[in-house]
Amino acid sequence: MNRNLSAQLERRIPEPTVRGREPGFPVATASPSAEPEPDRPFAPSHRQRALLCLLALAAAFLAWWMSGYLFAYTDDAYVTSDIVSITPEVSGPIEAVHVTDNEWVKRGTLLFTIDPLPFRLAVEQARAEEARTQAQLPVDEAQLQVLRAQKESAEAAAKLAAANLRRDTPLGQSGWISAQALDRTRTAEAQSTAQQHAAEAALQKAHETLDLDKTAVASARAARQLAEWRLSRTKVVASVDGYVTHLAVQAGDMVSPNQAAVAIVDGNAWRVIANYKEYYLRHLRPGGLAWVWLDSHPWHLYRARIQGVAHGISRQRGSEALVPFVSPTVNWIRLQRRIPVRFTLLDSPGDDQLFMGADARVLVIY
């Protein structure tokens, strides 16, 4: 009886309903051991990693190889100009220096003066010598006139003596005059002839003396001009527009033509020299446009033109006087040979803002 009652009660109690499902279906209960597993990250295999590395290297090499056909870039570049060495043309102590270090000077600006006193004295001496030689010329001219007159007189006497001899010779042969008289006529003719030759020789010597004295005058004039030139060279001036650099001379220093005294950075010869690898040279042509980055004025690109490519470098250090030497090693690493390429600046921050030896970077887009 109890068993039948329990069965009837179970049929009367409705099953709990769950929202979203119809009654009569069993309710799934969560089990502690049925929690979902978290997602695991993808881990490539060693073979996949090696393949990715090879692909990355191949892509980098391809990009580098293709870049050589698009542009040429180098950071091995610098700004340069010409250094003009000012060497005095005469020797002597410096009397005064008229410029300061790093000063901008124009061509013809007085840099320093050499003590002019000994050169002034040399000019006065040369002028006196020139005056003395010139004063000798009128004396020579007067002597020449005297000797010309003597020569003419001797010629006239020789003609008269010759005529007398021609007249007396037949008379002496016929006996009209004595032999003694004929001998006196012959002696007079010989003496007059000798006097004529002596007058001609004296006149020739006077001509030579005059020519010699004229040469002495010309020599004295040249010596005077040289002395005046040396005096003018006691004022040493700038030969170009530019900046005085590393001024080390001062009053009292002895200078000579054997050693430069002042250096000037030419303000009209600014250029950029870039050492490009041989790989890029076939793309660089004179007149091509380039862009220059100056480390002294960063964050700005300046236009430039390719002036030319050097057609010779020295492979040995120490012979840079005629051709440049570009070191092929950096920190014991052997590099590809690099050739200097010269660029002319079209734009610049200003001549007063360019510095010789400053680093630069150059980009040429083909």
Side-chain angles (χ1 to χ4, degrees), residues 16 47 52 96 109 125 160 170 225 235 263 296 335 338:
R47 181 176 297 178
L52 290 175
T109 300
Q125 182 180 5
L160 178 60
Q225 292 174 347
K235 295 182 178 181
S296 58
L335 302 177
R338 288 160 295 158

Side-chain angles (χ1 to χ4, degrees), residues 185-349:
T185 303
R186 289 175 179 171
T187 302
E189 191 274 338
Q191 290 177 348
S192 62
T193 301
Q195 291 176 354
Q196 180 186 5
H197 292 162
E200 291 176 351
L203 183 61
Q204 180 63 29
K205 182 179 179 180
H207 278 292
E208 293 175 355
T209 301
L210 178 61
D211 293 339
L212 184 62
D213 288 342
K214 287 182 178 179
T215 303
V217 170
S219 178
R221 183 182 301 110
R224 186 259 304 169
Q225 292 174 347
L226 178 60
E228 291 175 347
W229 175 84
R230 290 171 64 86
L231 175 61
S232 67
R233 289 306 184 267
T234 58
K235 295 182 178 181
V236 182
V237 299
S239 57
V240 295
D241 299 344
Y243 288 94
V244 176
T245 182
H246 193 58
L247 183 64
V249 295
Q250 56 185 353
D253 289 346
M254 181 67 68
V255 293
S256 68
N258 299 325
Q259 186 176 4
V262 177
I264 297 179
V265 178
D266 193 343
N268 299 317
W270 292 109
R271 58 191 180 272
V272 174
I273 303 296
N275 296 319
Y276 270 104
K277 296 180 181 178
E278 299 168 308
Y279 176 81
Y280 297 109
L281 296 181
R282 65 188 188 275
H283 299 296
L284 302 179
R285 297 289 184 269
L289 183 64
W291 299 94
V292 177
W293 167 293
L294 302 177
D295 283 7
S296 58
H297 291 81
W299 310 112
H300 194 285
L301 293 177
Y302 299 96
R303 294 182 306 147
R305 290 282 183 190
I306 300 176
Q307 187 272 333
V309 180
H311 284 267
I313 62 172
S314 174
R315 296 182 70 93
Q316 295 181 352
R317 187 183 297 275
S319 57
E320 298 88 347
L322 298 178
V323 291
F325 172 79
V326 183
S327 176
T329 59
V330 175
N331 296 329
W332 305 100
I333 300 175
R334 182 66 165 79
L335 302 177
Q336 186 181 13
R337 284 286 177 179
R338 288 160 295 158
I339 305 296
V341 181
R342 179 169 173 168
F343 295 86
T344 302
L345 289 170
L346 301 178
D347 303 326
S348 72

Side-chain angles (χ1 to χ4, degrees), residues 136-216:
Q136 183 63 31
L137 295 182
V139 176
D140 294 342
E141 291 287 352
Q143 182 68 18
L144 195 63
Q145 294 296 330
V146 171
L147 292 176
R148 284 197 186 102
Q150 291 179 355
K151 177 178 177 294
E152 292 175 357
S153 176
E155 289 176 348
K159 289 179 181 179
L160 178 60
N164 292 334
L165 181 61
R166 287 194 300 271
R167 184 187 66 245
D168 292 347
T169 299
L171 294 176
Q173 293 175 352
S174 60
W176 289 97
I177 61 173
S178 65
Q180 184 178 6
L182 182 59
D183 291 339
R184 287 197 297 268
T185 303
R186 289 175 179 171
T187 302
E189 191 274 338
Q191 290 177 348
S192 62
T193 301
Q195 291 176 354
Q196 180 186 5
H197 292 162
E200 291 176 351
L203 183 61
Q204 180 63 29
K205 182 179 179 180
H207 278 292
E208 293 175 355
T209 301
L210 178 61
D211 293 339
L212 184 62
D213 288 342
K214 287 182 178 179
T215 303

